Amino acid sequence: MNKPIRVAVTGAAGQIGYSLLFPIAAGEMLGPDQPVILQLLELPAAMDALAGVAMELEDCAFPLLHGIEVSDDPMVAFKGADVLMLVGARPRTAGQDRADLIKANGPIFTGTGEAIDAVAADNAKIVVVGNPCNTNALIASSRAKRIPLANYTAMTRLDQSRAAGQIANKAGATPGDVKNVFVWGNHSDSMVPDVSLATIGGVGKGRAVTDVVGADWLAGDFDKTVRTRGKAIITARGKSSAASAAHAAISHIHDWFLGTGDNDFVSMAVPSDGSYGIPKGIIYSFPVRITAPWKYEIVQGLKVSDATKARMMASAEELLSEREAVQDLL
Ligand code: NAD
Ligand code: LMR
């Protein structure tokens, strides 16, 4: 049996937390041979609810779940954590943009970043889910002295999955047939879903998505639906996406550790290294290739149309503005 991987989850008693913890404990995130220890963080007011979640986890008797620790102190919850899934943050309400959360949620990530750098495992891997996730990840990463900057990521996997789901529906295919869709930029309405390399029916043998579904649909309904899906869910459900967000967070960590299967790459928001002219100093969604367990590299050399490039830069500009708005937290 492998040594257990310690997975810290913040906001563990929230909506996403409730959908996230059970599949992790069942082995869906790190594989069927990989034990886990869950280290769960909540606010003091939610510790009773978290105790209930911990009871339910115990009651599942998951063979891979080798421990559950709960705390309201990040210095305790993050101790020795190999993977940190930072979900704990306020969701937006109908009528708000994700960026409107920055004043409420940004400060959470200063203390979070400090605690990670102080007590997490040396090479800890971090995914930020709490919105606005790119800029919250930037705030946490600004505290990194010991943990490598590249290990701070934010989640745009849900946007990628939304894009694949839309294409599958339109093409009359199943989502698993849709390969190599990805998203550039911010997890906001400015994101840029990119299907220029996407295929239906398998990498290398499939048909180009652009040949199967119409260009008008791709540029119109598809693009808008993907970019604004979060708001549509809040309007319909009265609450923001939870199960799909949890699934995307699991997929983000799964692929970072275990690879992307028969997709060549996957969307992750990572610290920009200047690729494609995206300024350094922001956390931006790129297509990344997983080259070894816990190692990603930004896919290089993709041909980007002028129109896509202009939108990519606009999303980068938005992230620069968000960074400006939290300058006091960096
Ligand atoms: P929720 O309100 O149901 O749960 C959030 C939980 O976080 C609560 O239990 C709360 O007590 C806890 N919390 C708040 N501050 C905390 C702190 N400082 N430390 C620890 N825990 C804290 O919200 P939710 O629906 O689970 O959503 C959580 C966040 O995820 C929101 O910001 C939401 O917008 C975001 N989200 C992001 C994506 C994405 O694609 N990146 C998708 C869906 C939701
Ligand atoms: C989503 O994309 O569903 C989440 O980021 C929640 C939101 O506020 O849109």
Side-chain angles (χ1 to χ4, degrees):
M1 236 328 154
N2 298 326
K3 183 170 168 264
I5 290 182
R6 294 182 167 271
V7 180
V9 177
T10 73
Q15 308 193 78
I16 295 175
Y18 197 68
S19 292
L20 180 62
L21 301 176
F22 297 84
I24 296 175
E28 284 180 30
M29 184 167 84
L30 298 170
D33 301 319
Q34 180 56 60
V36 292
I37 295 174
L38 287 174
Q39 305 186 176
L40 309 178
L41 180 74
E42 256 301 347
L43 292 176
M47 289 308 283
D48 284 348
L50 185 58
V53 175
M55 285 185 232
E56 286 201 69
L57 282 164
E58 272 175 18
D59 294 349
C60 292
F62 290 115
L64 291 172
L65 185 55
H66 285 207
I68 310 168
E69 296 164 13
V70 296
S71 180
D72 59 8
D73 180 353
M75 295 292 278
V76 175
F78 297 170
K79 195 156 178 48
D82 303 295
V83 175
L84 295 106
M85 305 178 79
L86 306 182
V87 179
R90 190 178 296 179
R92 65 174 160 159
T93 51
Q96 275 189 310
D97 283 326
R98 297 186 189 99
D100 297 334
L101 296 168
I102 194 69
K103 289 288 170 214
N105 287 343
I108 294 172
F109 291 84
T110 58
T112 298
E114 277 154 26
I116 292 171
D117 208 58
V119 301
D122 285 345
N123 205 7
K125 308 297 182 302
I126 298 114
V127 60
V128 176
V129 175
N131 277 320
C133 59
N134 301 57
T135 297
N136 288 337
L138 183 71
I139 294 168
S141 72
S142 72
R143 278 16 190 208
K145 297 190 183 67
R146 187 173 60 88
I147 311 281
L149 184 67
N151 293 11
Y152 285 81
T153 70
M155 186 174 94
T156 50
R157 179 58 174 268
L158 180 54
D159 308 303
Q160 174 182 313
S161 300
R162 286 168 172 165
Q166 290 300 310
I167 290 167
N169 275 349
K170 182 73 176 177
T174 55
D177 286 336
V178 181
K179 307 293 180 195
N180 289 348
V181 179
F182 66 94
V183 173
W184 302 99
N186 194 6
H187 176 59
S188 77
D189 293 3
S190 76
M191 75 179 78
V192 189
D194 191 324
V195 299
S196 56
L197 297 171
T199 57
I200 300 182
V203 174
K205 51 188 165 67
R207 295 176 64 199
V209 160
T210 46
D211 291 342
V212 180
V213 295
D216 286 352
W217 178 76
L218 284 169
D221 280 358
F222 164 76
D223 190 75
K224 184 166 180 222
T225 300
V226 174
R227 290 185 299 102
T228 59
R229 187 68 151 190
K231 189 167 280 181
I233 290 168
I234 294 170
T235 305
R237 228 171 74 85
K239 288 181 187 163
S240 68
S241 64
S244 56
H247 183 68
I250 283 174
S251 302
H252 179 113
I253 296 292
H254 173 279
D255 286 8
W256 194 356
F257 183 40
L258 295 169
T260 57
D262 52 6
N263 281 286
D264 293 325
F265 42 74
V266 71
S267 310
M268 283 170 61
V270 301
S272 174
D273 61 357
S275 295
Y276 299 96
I278 302 304
K280 292 183 184 178
I282 54 176
I283 294 198
Y284 188 93
S285 182
F286 290 97
V288 304
R289 200 167 267 125
I290 306 301
T291 55
W294 300 125
K295 291 213 179 323
Y296 68 79
E297 63 184 27
I298 296 172
V299 177
Q300 297 297 327
L302 299 182
K303 285 206 180 81
V304 175
S305 71
D306 288 348
T308 298
K309 188 67 190 276
R311 292 178 61 192
M312 287 165 61
M313 296 316 291
S315 199
E317 284 298 328
E318 183 181 64
L319 282 166
L320 290 171
S321 308
E322 287 184 21
R323 184 179 75 179
E324 191 56 38
V326 297
Q327 206 55 48
D328 56 326
L329 301 178
L330 297 175

